[in-house]
Amino acid sequence: MDKPRFVVVGGGLVGSMVAALLGREGYQVEVIERRGDPRQDAMESGRSINLAISARGLNALAQLAVGDDFLSLGVPLYRRAIHAPDGAMSYQPYGKAGQAINSFSRGELNRALIVSAGRSANVSLVFNRRCTDIDVQTGRVTHVDAATGADERVSTGVIVGADGAFSVVRGALQKREHQDYSQDYLAHGYKELFIPARPDGSAALERNAMHIWPRGRFMMMAMANPDATFTVTLYLPMTGPNGFDQLNTPEAVQAFFVREFPDAVPLMPTLIEDFFGNKTGAMVTVRTWPWRAGDRAVLIGDAAHAIVPFYGQGANAGFEDCLEFIESLRRQPGDLGAALARYQERRKPNTDAIADLALANFNEMRDHVASARFLWRKRFEHLLHLVIPGFIPLYPMISFSLIPYAEARAKAERQNRVIRWTGWALAAVAALAVWAGLRR
Ligand SMILES: Cc1cc2nc3c(=O)[nH]c(=O)nc-3n(C[C@H](O)[C@H](O)[C@H](O)COP(=O)(O)OP(=O)(O)OC[C@H]3O[C@@H](n4cnc5c(N)ncnc54)[C@H](O)[C@@H]3O)c2cc1C
């Protein structure tokens, strides 16, 4: 069988990664991307927007030999820095000494992946073209000029839908029978804000920590950019008390920040401008099945499994998809349908698991990280991690290992049962000791 030709719809993080990998494997690939060429265009926003890449993402980047260059650009974050309402700080390490998640500029990472894909003579990159429809039967991808909507053209091949959470490719698959689909919006939204460097060029907060302001029903986070600035993300309910809909005047925003994040306010000179200038983003969990239509079309990245951002794993999971996709093609060289079946069956349980964990982590970050009980538990888990070989708390398993997400979740549940029973046993021993003491 001749090697198939692929048309990748979407040249974001995952689309450019999969195109680069396919090109390296000797497949002909065409990438259709709605935005401009990041190698020529300035980044869409003048300011950095960052994302955390951990072991899974770094592993995929290393396969493209992009990893080494990028490690030097990323800012390692070794711990959480928790900001209490009174300004007091506490810290929680993410893992063992030296283990860190890495804050990267999203735009720079995308640019590097596009450069990597473009280096292959097998990959052609087409920018400023918006896919409007696909035909699964014929493998036709219809696309138009993204700015004008005119100049309709068609590309043909095996279609890889890497066009994000609101995927046009997935939309076309949904029109077929037996395509399961669910989309769940969080009642919270997010807004990106900014902490500039100090006048002397130094960073206004500790750079090697993920800063979190947990406030129960809402929270704020800040992650360092390579240039000593911080991208801040505010997560609030869309409506109701402390909701985005209530913060509709500069005075209301200022009063809210002074009340809830007093230590951050002096660091955010453009708070009001940013708050009203930046859009409020929505967060959605998307699940769909199957991910493939025979041997003609397949979904990857957010198009297959958009998740909420609270584990910092969306892109990491998408990069893992790419590796599994390539591995499946290698294992089934003459049978594309079997390769796509293997890929989706191996990925789906894992992306379902990280979707659930990401939702659960929202409660942990906005609320529990500030509670004494949670902190003691984390310390105990950390101690067990240091002294018992094989005991790995959930966060390090997700962020610092390549253990499949579903397996990591199951292992963490087993470990939790052991911790619970140990707690009960210790409490029983203590109660017995007290009782024996009283009888004496
Ligand atoms: C606030 C926030 C914070 C996050 N933080 C992290 C983090 O710290 N770590 C992490 O791993 N993940 C994080 N994520 C998740 C991460 O952003 C996504 O999982 C990742 O971007 C998915 O990559 P993708 O290529 O699948 O989709 P996208 O990044 O959405 O890329 C899709 C691409 O397809 C293009 N496209 C869309 N429609 C069309 C069309 N019709 N025709 C042609 N092209 C099209 C788009 O222009 C885009 O380039 C975060 C998400 C959010 C919202």
Side-chain angles (χ1 to χ4, degrees), residues 377 380 416-431:
R377 191 193 160 90
F380 186 51
N416 283 344
R417 279 197 291 276
V418 172
I419 291 178
R420 255 197 316 276
W421 282 110
T422 310
W424 284 115
L426 288 175
V429 169

Side-chain angles (χ1 to χ4, degrees), residues 83-85 213-219 260-263 366-367:
H83 297 244
W213 288 258
R215 296 293 182 264
R217 285 196 68 235
F218 58 94
M219 68 170 181
E260 301 294 346
F261 312 116
D263 60 334
R366 70 188 165 142
D367 200 356

Side-chain angles (χ1 to χ4, degrees), residues 9-15 32-35 50-53 106 110 129-132 162-166 168 190 192 223 233 235 282-283 300-303 307 309 312-317:
V9 180
L13 296 176
V14 176
I32 310 288
E33 166 57 41
R34 184 178 60 182
R35 294 185 188 145
N50 47 23
L51 81 170
I53 297 295
R106 179 188 282 272
N110 207 154
R129 301 290 303 174
R130 180 167 53 86
C131 166
T132 51
D163 49 343
F166 304 100
V168 168
Y190 73 93
E192 265 148 355
M223 208 165 36
T233 316
Y235 297 94
M283 290 174 284
I300 197 162
D302 274 19
I307 63 176
Q313 285 295 316
N316 284 284

